[in-house]
Amino acid sequence: YWTVKDIAVTNGQKGIIFDNANYGQIIDCHVYGIGYEAIHIRDGSDHCLIEGCSVHDTGIRNKGFGEAIYVGTDGGSWGRYDPYVWNTTIRNCTLGPNVAAEAFDIKEGTQNTLIEFNTVDATGISSANYADSFIDLKAARAIVRYNTFIRNGAEKLKKGIAIVFRGTEYSAYEHVIHDNYFYMDGVSNIKLVDSYSGSRDIYAFNNIREPSSAADEDYARIVITECCPPWYTPPNDGNGVCTVPFGLVTEDVSNTTAVLSWSAVGSNTTTFLVQYQKFDEIGTTVVNVTDGSTSIAVLDLVPSTVYSWKVSSICGDRSSAPASGAAFLTLDDGDDDPPPPPGAFQVYTDSLIGFWNDYSWGGTFDFDFAQSSKVGAKSIRAAYTGYGGINLKHSRGGVDASNLVAVRFWVKGDATANGPGNPILQLRVNSQEYDFEISNGLWGIYQIPLDVFGSPSTIEALVLQNRQGSDLLVYVDQIELLAAEETDSPTSPPSTIPTTSNPTLSEAPSDSPVTPAPNPLPTPLPTSEPSKSPTSSPTKQPTLFPSVQPTEDCVLVCTTSQPVSGPVTPAPVAVASPNFVIYDESLASGWEDQSYKGTFDAADTLEAYKGAQSWRADLLGWGALNMKTASPGVLLSNLGTGADATNVYLRFWVKGPGSGVKLRVRVNGKMHDTTISPQGQWMQMSLSLSLFYSPTNVFQIEIQNSASSQILLHFDEIELQKN
């Protein structure tokens, strides 16, 4: 709760720094004549405000470090400072001229940064240390709105806002950039937003370039040019915002009609302008929707014709830019328009259907891949990098699953790229997980019952994740959510597939013979080696693989009668006792070792407080024992009646030399410094979770050497325990 207000700061190497200073405020300060950066929020400082400040003439000693406002810590220094700086607001500041680096450098590890109503003059930007943009966004979930950016002849300014992935957590995803003014001196080759490889879910819309021309290209690479992600709603007309419609969908297409629908935000948007026409033809039909509806049925279309369409918001005397919907093809005169199966939903068939959106990460994903498909003309080509995932989210709050019983899809591994062996994927429905094996070189259809995932009432997200860690290439097609009456016969190939006496294996169509496997029971996948996936669960076997050649198709159906090897691991972790053991001889199921800067042995037999082994950590300076699981992890409420951060403790035994050993303990990234004096003996540490900003769940625990010197420690019996 520090407040620094109404002062001038000059002639320092740095101007104003907040370290581990939550709820701090820097208001109406004048910072200038600084050797490096002017204002820096770092070392776990959350909920800080920078408002009404003026910054100019920075980077006098080192131009590459001369940022006006710097939030967080570079990944190379994460061992020195807590990198998780969250919920910073920067507003109404004037930055420049002669800011030698970026006006804003928002670092990896930070999230929920709001930048609004600021004015930036790029005069004097140096390009040293890649400083060539108004803003570098290396963080997660930043909102940049209502700012004014002025090039003012700065030749070394090469881009407006750069989205840069740094290879760490909380980096380069879920940014919203809207309603900003960019005065670019008529230079058309400067992108307003440039999103580099590794970034995802970058939204940029309603930004205005002055002056503008037909040669301008405002956005480069991975940018979504429409409003809005599900987690963000722009302010209403109080800020003069007329937002672009989003989530455009075409439904119920017949030979002469179609239903066009969209989503919109902003209380001032009650009228929409819809325009549709024959594709690549002159002549547009314009319809005004004045009753606040976000859909319209268009009539009198021409059969067997491709149409394009777009929609704009009308806000009084202003209008938004138009959003374009996907082109659609009307049916032939003789075609029937079969109703969808009762209660069933298609998620992907040649493209994502309805309100399903792509939030995939960790690889490159092509949802229009035409070189290898099983149903229709296209499939999803998923070139996973490490533990990447196809991540599909529903933008309207999810699908009602009350009449649904299974998820079904086709999948094939690439035999050439993947090499020998059968890859393992993980299907997640909402947050529940299920591991299964696929085959390289042949298409298989997988039908997995929803009771495996706890029979959810609503399905909001589907994830197909690589469970192997190594790069993997697979193809996915025809993703469906099935109603009860559909689960006996896959929809594709076109003919109905008769069911054999084996309830888990369906016969392939006649043009793709399959030889039944000699063993009628499934063989469980190996589970002896612990998984290293960020979202680990026991490996299970949902299908029976027939003996086939790689060029043939196999059809595999996992039904509720299919035996499953190993329990299904729920997420969040369900705990039935007042303690949850994270480490005892080994890490708990679903938890992963992400320790760094040192050598670590989780099965050391030379020392043990209890049992036969402990976790040996030979920590270099600032090295750490780091344990993580998929969020939300352990819910404190599952540790017993009334369990919360006031009565739940992180406890562990530690043994090491000497006294005065400084440790920095983090829970979910929030830290507490402590000192131990084991004197060569085992001692127990007991830390209340209220020291870590009172979390309601725990998904990460990190115990860090808080010194530059090396130290050898042993840990045992790491647990969460209710008093």
Side-chain angles (χ1 to χ4, degrees):
Y1 294 93
W2 286 96
T3 296
V4 180
K5 186 176 181 181
D6 297 326
I7 65 171
V9 178
T10 189
N11 292 332
Q13 185 193 70
K14 302 176 189 245
I16 302 171
I17 298 178
F18 276 3
D19 275 344
N20 199 12
N22 298 311
Y23 298 96
Q25 300 183 20
I26 302 173
I27 300 174
D28 294 334
C29 291
H30 182 194
V31 186
Y32 65 99
I34 300 297
Y36 287 5
E37 72 270 22
I39 298 174
H40 194 164
I41 310 297
R42 71 179 182 188
D43 203 17
S45 300
D46 292 342
H47 303 285
C48 289
L49 169 67
I50 304 170
E51 186 171 37
C53 293
S54 172
V55 176
H56 59 89
D57 293 282
T58 63
I60 293 173
R61 292 291 302 272
N62 190 321
K63 294 182 181 296
F65 296 160
E67 296 89 351
I69 296 176
Y70 191 115
V71 179
T73 298
D74 183 85
S77 298
W78 276 23
R80 297 181 60 195
Y81 304 103
D82 181 351
Y84 305 114
V85 177
W86 294 354
N87 302 304
T88 303
T89 296
I90 308 164
R91 69 163 62 100
N92 292 328
C93 294
T94 301
L95 310 179
N98 300 320
V99 171
E102 299 88 354
F104 305 92
D105 194 354
I106 314 300
K107 288 296 186 180
E108 58 271 24
T110 68
Q111 68 171 342
N112 295 335
T113 304
L114 174 61
I115 301 172
E116 62 179 3
F117 301 109
N118 302 285
T119 301
V120 180
D121 180 351
T123 302
I125 191 169
S126 68
S127 78
N129 197 24
Y130 306 102
D132 59 0
S133 59
F134 293 114
I135 303 178
D136 264 10
L137 288 182
K138 301 158 186 170
R141 196 169 285 195
I143 299 169
V144 181
R145 65 191 185 193
Y146 317 132
N147 301 283
T148 300
F149 301 102
I150 306 168
R151 179 175 179 266
N152 205 16
E155 295 183 355
K156 294 182 179 179
L157 185 82
K158 303 302 181 184
K159 57 187 78 73
I161 298 173
I163 317 297
V164 182
F165 176 61
R166 295 300 305 277
T168 69
E169 59 184 346
Y170 302 112
S171 181
Y173 64 86
E174 295 185 356
H175 296 315
V176 179
I177 302 163
H178 71 91
D179 291 278
N180 301 284
Y181 284 86
F182 293 83
Y183 293 92
M184 292 302 200
D185 302 331
V187 179
S188 62
N189 63 350
I190 299 179
K191 304 296 188 293
L192 303 187
V193 180
D194 199 345
S195 182
Y196 289 83
S197 176
S199 59
R200 60 180 174 87
D201 304 335
I202 310 302
Y203 289 77
F205 53 91
N206 284 10
N207 297 294
I208 298 174
R209 177 196 291 263
E210 292 287 353
S212 61
S213 72
D216 296 334
E217 293 184 11
D218 291 341
Y219 307 116
R221 291 183 272 242
I222 315 164
V223 177
I224 303 168
T225 57
E226 60 183 29
C227 176
C228 283
W231 51 267
Y232 177 70
T233 301
N236 60 25
D237 195 44
N239 289 312
V241 182
C242 191
T243 57
V244 179
F246 63 100
L248 279 65
V249 176
T250 306
E251 299 174 302
D252 300 332
V253 180
S254 72
N255 55 349
T256 59
T257 64
V259 175
L260 312 178
S261 59
W262 58 93
S263 298
V265 293
S267 59
N268 58 324
T269 305
T270 57
T271 301
F272 301 94
L273 182 71
V274 180
Q275 304 174 65
Y276 62 93
Q277 66 184 74
K278 294 180 183 179
F279 194 75
D280 287 338
E281 289 191 14
I282 298 175
T284 300
T285 301
V286 179
V287 180
N288 279 294
V289 181
T290 59
D291 60 357
S293 299
T294 55
S295 66
I296 185 174
V298 294
L299 311 175
D300 300 323
L301 303 178
V302 178
S304 303
T305 302
V306 177
Y307 282 84
S308 62
W309 67 287
K310 56 188 177 181
V311 58
S312 304
S313 300
I314 306 298
C315 309
D317 59 351
R318 295 170 290 111
S319 64
S320 74
S324 296
F328 63 92
L329 174 66
T330 54
L331 300 179
D332 292 335
D333 271 332
D335 285 346
D336 292 326
D337 187 14
F345 294 89
Q346 287 187 327
V347 178
Y348 175 89
T349 175
D350 283 357
S351 64
L352 287 173
I353 306 299
F355 298 103
W356 289 95
N357 297 289
D358 172 28
Y359 289 85
S360 302
W361 82 95
T364 58
F365 304 90
D366 183 355
F367 283 69
D368 298 302
F369 190 70
Q371 282 69 49
S372 180
S373 63
K374 183 60 190 173
V375 181
K378 299 175 182 177
S379 68
I380 303 171
R381 182 184 185 273
Y384 294 110
T385 302
Y387 296 105
I390 298 173
N391 187 10
L392 309 180
K393 295 182 181 180
H394 197 271
S395 63
R396 289 292 186 89
V399 170
D400 181 3
S402 58
N403 194 40
L404 302 177
V405 295
V407 182
R408 187 168 65 201
F409 52 90
W410 290 85
V411 64
K412 177 180 75 169
D414 190 293
T416 302
N418 299 337
N422 289 323
I424 299 173
L425 297 181
Q426 181 181 93
L427 175 66
R428 289 209 299 274
V429 176
N430 297 339
S431 60
Q432 302 286 344
E433 305 162 353
Y434 195 93
D435 291 357
F436 61 99
E437 186 180 76
I438 69 171
S439 186
N440 279 325
L442 63 153
W443 285 100
I445 189 167
Y446 294 80
Q447 183 170 300
I448 303 177
L450 290 179
D451 58 13
V452 170
F453 307 98
S455 299
S457 59
T458 302
I459 297 177
E460 301 175 358
L462 297 172
V463 176
L464 272 174
Q465 185 177 15
N466 175 18
R467 290 282 279 113
Q468 300 186 157
S470 56
D471 293 353
L472 184 68
L473 179 58
V474 303
Y475 307 93
V476 182
D477 207 350
Q478 195 71 8
I479 305 173
E480 302 171 291
L481 303 172
L482 303 183
E485 58 268 32
E486 292 189 296
T487 56
D488 293 332
S489 57
T491 60
S492 195
S495 60
T496 300
I497 303 171
T499 303
T500 69
S501 58
N502 183 343
T504 68
L505 175 64
S506 296
E507 293 177 358
S510 58
D511 61 349
S512 181
V514 173
T515 304
N519 185 351
L521 295 177
T523 302
L525 294 174
T527 58
S528 58
E529 295 187 8
S531 168
K532 297 180 181 178
S533 164
T535 54
S536 175
S537 65
T539 303
K540 298 167 281 295
Q541 174 74 350
T543 61
L544 175 63
F545 281 92
S547 300
V548 295
Q549 299 300 316
T551 56
E552 298 175 319
D553 287 344
C554 61
V555 180
L556 305 162
V557 179
C558 169
T559 69
T560 53
S561 62
Q562 170 68 40
V564 174
S565 65
V568 176
T569 301
V573 178
V575 186
S577 64
N579 71 308
F580 180 81
V581 178
I582 297 169
Y583 173 85
D584 179 14
E585 306 282 317
S586 63
L587 273 172
S589 175
W591 284 75
E592 180 187 1
D593 175 15
Q594 293 191 4
S595 303
Y596 57 90
K597 290 191 177 180
T599 56
F600 306 89
D601 183 359
D604 182 75
T605 57
L606 298 179
E607 295 280 358
Y609 170 75
K610 178 182 177 182
Q613 54 196 34
S614 66
W615 198 337
R616 183 182 189 273
D618 192 358
L619 299 170
L620 300 177
W622 307 103
L625 197 70
N626 191 16
M627 299 148 276
K628 294 189 72 174
T629 188
S631 180
V634 180
L635 299 180
L636 301 192
S637 59
N638 286 337
L639 296 177
T641 303
D644 59 27
T646 63
N647 55 31
V648 175
Y649 288 75
L650 168 63
R651 292 192 167 120
F652 57 90
W653 288 86
V654 58
K655 181 178 181 180
S659 61
V661 177
K662 295 181 179 180
L663 297 179
R664 175 168 287 182
V665 182
R666 291 185 177 92
V667 174
N668 301 350
K670 301 305 177 185
M671 71 178 188
H672 174 73
D673 290 329
T674 188
T675 302
I676 64 171
S677 299
Q679 301 286 356
Q681 304 296 319
W682 284 100
M683 64 176 292
Q684 188 182 40
M685 296 297 297
S686 183
L687 302 173
S688 169
L689 291 189
S690 62
L691 297 171
F692 305 96
Y693 299 92
S694 299
T696 58
N697 59 296
V698 174
F699 59 85
Q700 181 202 24
I701 293 174
E702 181 179 326
I703 306 172
Q704 184 181 31
N705 175 15
S706 190
S708 58
S709 56
Q710 185 173 351
I711 188 169
L712 174 61
L713 300 173
H714 286 82
F715 296 90
D716 208 349
E717 294 293 300
I718 304 171
E719 62 183 351
L720 299 171
Q721 188 173 62
K722 179 191 174 189
N723 265 9

